[in-house]
Amino acid sequence: LFNHENKRWYRDESKWGENIVDFLEENSETYHSYYVWSLLQRLRRKFDEKNIILMDFHDKSTRGPEETLFCNIPNATEMCNAARSSKEENLNPSVNLDYFDLAYGAKKEGMVSMSGTKKTTKLLKAIEKYHNTNLTGAKFERVCASSTILERIWSMTLAADSKLNP
């Protein structure tokens, strides 16, 4: 949910001030409604069961989610063959958000302004340059969500897994 919400951060300036720990703390009472099992229940109310495909992204029996998806759709032979013959690549690579988190902290303290994509990108590059030049690129300490939040997420994960794989 956090990733989904924050992929829009360049377009929605109100989202520029959130990091995942803050997001989890602020939404801990409601994000269960977005979790896998709740989402599946909402889809089942709107769509026929045969039109819902639940995919396991860790399933190694296929070349990836594209093959699982396209090879389960009737009359999608060309797409299925293309998915099976394509090279495996990471279409959603991870992104280092360390410099964005630093900019977010500075914004929260009133030290910088983050307005507009070009200015924000320039600010992030300046922070990265300063870090690598003056601080020799030292590793950043990570802040984790509280144990209460992590336990809640773990419980939701276990509950969803037991419902999906009885």
Side-chain angles (χ1 to χ4, degrees):
L1 178 61
F2 174 77
N3 193 27
H4 171 74
E5 286 296 317
N6 283 282
K7 282 185 178 180
R8 301 186 306 223
W9 72 271
Y10 271 116
R11 289 177 268 150
D12 182 359
E13 290 186 30
S14 69
K15 294 291 182 191
W16 291 7
E18 288 191 351
N19 65 34
I20 193 166
V21 175
D22 290 343
F23 178 84
L24 291 172
E25 297 286 338
E26 292 166 14
N27 296 284
S28 66
E29 297 301 320
T30 58
Y31 60 66
H32 69 277
S33 63
Y34 297 99
Y35 218 66
V36 175
W37 183 250
S38 301
L39 172 63
L40 186 57
Q41 296 305 98
R42 287 195 314 274
L43 291 172
R44 284 179 172 156
R45 285 192 297 270
K46 290 193 172 242
F47 302 102
D48 188 329
E49 184 76 29
K50 69 180 180 191
N51 294 323
I52 299 172
I53 298 171
L54 190 61
M55 298 188 301
D56 179 356
F57 282 81
H58 303 287
D59 181 5
K60 300 295 182 197
S61 67
T62 66
R63 292 189 46 90
E66 297 85 5
E67 181 181 337
T68 304
L69 175 64
F70 293 120
C71 295
N72 282 299
I73 297 174
N75 302 318
T77 310
E78 287 184 41
M79 289 299 293
C80 177
N81 291 338
R84 285 184 171 149
S85 65
S86 69
K87 287 190 238 173
E88 192 173 321
E89 60 181 274
N90 187 354
L91 300 176
N92 190 12
S94 62
V95 176
N96 183 332
L97 297 175
D98 288 341
Y99 302 113
F100 180 78
D101 287 341
L102 282 172
Y104 160 73
K107 179 184 188 241
K108 213 169 157 181
E109 295 299 317
M111 299 167 67
V112 297
S113 158
M114 291 171 67
S115 59
T117 303
K118 287 182 183 177
K119 286 183 180 179
T120 301
T121 301
K122 187 175 180 180
L123 174 63
L124 297 177
K125 287 182 180 179
I127 292 171
E128 181 176 11
K129 181 179 179 183
Y130 181 86
H131 175 245
N132 289 327
T133 305
N134 298 359
L135 304 174
T136 64
K139 297 279 182 198
F140 292 108
E141 184 178 331
R142 303 286 178 218
V143 176
C144 195
S146 70
S147 59
T148 304
I149 299 295
L150 295 175
E151 275 297 319
R152 192 173 294 153
I153 293 170
W154 182 241
S155 294
M156 287 189 309
T157 301
L158 292 176
D161 190 55
S162 68
K163 288 176 183 176
L164 296 170
N165 304 299

